[in-house]
Amino acid sequence: MFKKVLVHTRRGIKITILFLIAAFLIVGAIAFLYKPTYSVFIEGEQVGYTEDRTKLQHRINDYIEKGEGDNQNVAFVQLPNLPDYKLCLLKKDIVANDDEIFNQIKQEGTTYYRYYAIADNQEEKLYVSSFEEAEGVVNHLKEKNSSNINQISILEKYETEMKELVTSQEAISKLYIESPKVVTVAKKSKTNKYAATGSVNTSSHTSSAKANLGISLIKPVSGIITSRFGAGSSMRRSSHTGLDIATSTGTSIKAAASGTVTFSGYKGSYGNMIVISHGNGLQTYYAHCSKLYVSAGTNVSQGQTIAAVGSTGNSTGPHLHLEVRVNGVAYNPQNYVY
């Protein structure tokens, strides 16, 4: 009886050893021919294989959070579908395709950008990269006492397309609006002649050359040119020292450039006249006005209303007589405006 038990035990041990050897050989063959990997699926469709799903998923998560490249304005990337992974055995000669999988996922992504709009009276005017830049622009406008500061606001924007961004200095320059200046009104007499303040040169010395003014002039009024520089007339003893632009009485006359008023008042044949000095000997004259809004000594900005069109002095109808003088010599205004 004991011998039978011993025989059966030995036989069982041999079978177990043979089974273990076979299992070891099978596992070894599988390990030699195959490798554990992950099938990657998007919406149930297999798109490839990855040996390290953690690494691939980390790459995808980074893309969602930061996008690609160094664009600091990327807020996030929206992906419609994320991949699923299933463990499988893959022949060792088959290569994983992480890059292809990532690129396919990336093609479906929608990038959202974050930037900041600076609005004036709720209308978006321009855009900057960060909130700190936008806040700095607003603070500078406050320091400069911009007249629109109470209407300026900052809006955080998330869009799929980037707007054109500007620098802080560009934003300040474009948004700043100078506060209205207190205008000193010239005194008017009962005869529609304004009392003169300051001094003026009314010589008839002219030049046909084109002087370099060093600044740009704008049109003081819009209208029809009725008498050009150098033209002769029975109404004057010398050739025309300026340019006549006809328009309706009361039309606002703008300063052609910023400067200081050096004469304001009635001056003989010129009628009511304003003279502005712009530095370096350059002056502009505005004659035959019906109203004068500034007195001598007043600083004016380019485009500021200084007078109104009229027909005072030696004039046959409402118009502006404009002169451009350098060191007292009159030059053709049409070389610079009109």
Side-chain angles (χ1 to χ4, degrees):
M1 182 69 180
F2 177 75
K3 287 184 179 180
K4 288 183 179 181
V5 171
L6 185 60
V7 169
H8 285 295
T9 301
R10 288 179 178 175
R11 186 178 298 168
I13 292 172
K14 288 180 181 180
I15 292 172
T16 301
I17 292 172
L18 290 173
F19 177 78
L20 291 174
I21 291 173
F24 178 78
L25 291 174
I26 291 171
V27 171
I30 292 173
F32 180 76
L33 296 174
Y34 297 89
K35 57 184 176 182
T37 189
Y38 293 90
S39 294
V40 183
F41 296 84
I42 298 177
E43 289 191 298
E45 180 181 349
Q46 185 177 4
V47 293
Y49 301 95
T50 179
E51 295 179 14
D52 190 339
R53 73 170 184 176
T54 301
K55 183 178 179 181
L56 176 58
Q57 189 60 48
H58 181 72
R59 184 178 177 186
I60 294 169
N61 292 341
D62 272 354
Y63 175 66
I64 293 172
E65 293 178 9
K66 305 173 185 176
E68 276 196 316
D70 299 324
N71 190 336
Q72 63 180 353
N73 291 101
V74 172
F76 61 90
V77 178
Q78 186 179 59
L79 294 177
N81 300 289
L82 292 176
D84 294 318
Y85 304 92
K86 291 183 181 179
L87 182 64
C88 64
L89 292 175
L90 192 67
K91 286 186 177 180
K92 286 191 173 183
D93 59 350
I94 298 178
V95 180
N97 59 332
D98 293 48
D99 288 342
E100 291 179 11
I101 296 170
F102 177 74
N103 287 332
Q104 182 172 340
I105 293 172
K106 187 175 67 174
Q107 287 176 2
E108 302 297 324
T110 302
T111 302
Y112 283 81
Y113 300 93
R114 178 178 56 240
Y115 52 91
Y116 294 84
I118 303 180
D120 186 349
N121 197 23
Q122 301 303 315
E123 180 183 355
E124 295 178 13
K125 293 293 187 181
L126 41 79
Y127 307 90
V128 295
S129 179
S130 66
F131 178 77
E132 289 74 16
E133 284 183 90
E135 190 174 41
V137 169
V138 173
N139 289 335
H140 273 85
L141 292 174
K142 286 181 181 178
E143 292 173 6
K144 292 166 69 71
N145 196 28
S146 181
S147 65
N148 61 345
I149 188 59
N150 292 329
Q151 285 76 48
I152 298 295
S153 58
I154 300 172
L155 306 173
E156 187 174 36
K157 306 289 291 183
Y158 288 87
E159 302 288 349
T160 56
E161 292 186 6
M162 276 288 292
K163 296 285 189 180
E164 182 179 353
L165 304 181
V166 301
T167 65
S168 297
Q169 290 302 318
E170 288 177 309
I172 294 168
S173 175
K174 292 179 179 179
L175 291 171
Y176 174 71
I177 299 177
E178 186 177 10
S179 296
K181 295 182 178 179
V182 176
V183 176
T184 304
V185 179
K187 294 182 179 179
K188 181 180 179 183
S189 70
K190 292 181 179 180
T191 59
N192 203 35
K193 296 180 181 180
Y194 282 80
T197 57
S199 60
V200 60
N201 175 4
T202 57
S203 73
S204 59
H205 189 186
T206 63
S207 173
S208 60
K210 182 178 180 180
N212 181 11
L213 305 184
I215 61 173
S216 296
L217 305 181
I218 64 171
K219 294 180 180 181
V221 296
S222 295
I224 300 171
I225 296 174
T226 55
S227 182
R228 300 185 184 277
F229 178 81
S233 172
S234 59
M235 295 184 62
R236 63 178 76 93
R237 289 173 294 180
S238 60
S239 59
H240 200 201
T241 53
L243 187 69
D244 289 348
I245 305 101
T247 186
S248 57
T249 299
T251 299
S252 295
I253 300 172
K254 311 290 187 182
S258 58
T260 302
V261 177
T262 53
F263 179 85
S264 175
Y266 194 85
K267 187 64 176 178
S269 63
Y270 282 92
N272 295 320
M273 178 168 66
I274 296 287
V275 177
I276 302 175
S277 177
H278 309 285
N280 296 321
L282 172 63
Q283 293 180 307
T284 50
Y285 291 37
Y286 311 81
H288 305 308
C289 304
S290 61
K291 296 178 182 179
L292 304 180
Y293 299 137
V294 291
S295 298
T298 304
N299 292 323
V300 297
S301 57
Q302 187 177 56
Q304 180 178 334
T305 299
I306 56 172
V309 169
S311 186
T312 57
N314 189 5
S315 171
T316 58
H319 71 281
L320 169 66
H321 171 83
L322 173 67
E323 290 189 13
V324 175
R325 291 184 180 244
V326 179
N327 297 323
V329 178
Y331 290 83
N332 186 357
Q334 284 193 278
N335 285 333
Y336 316 104
V337 288
Y338 299 101

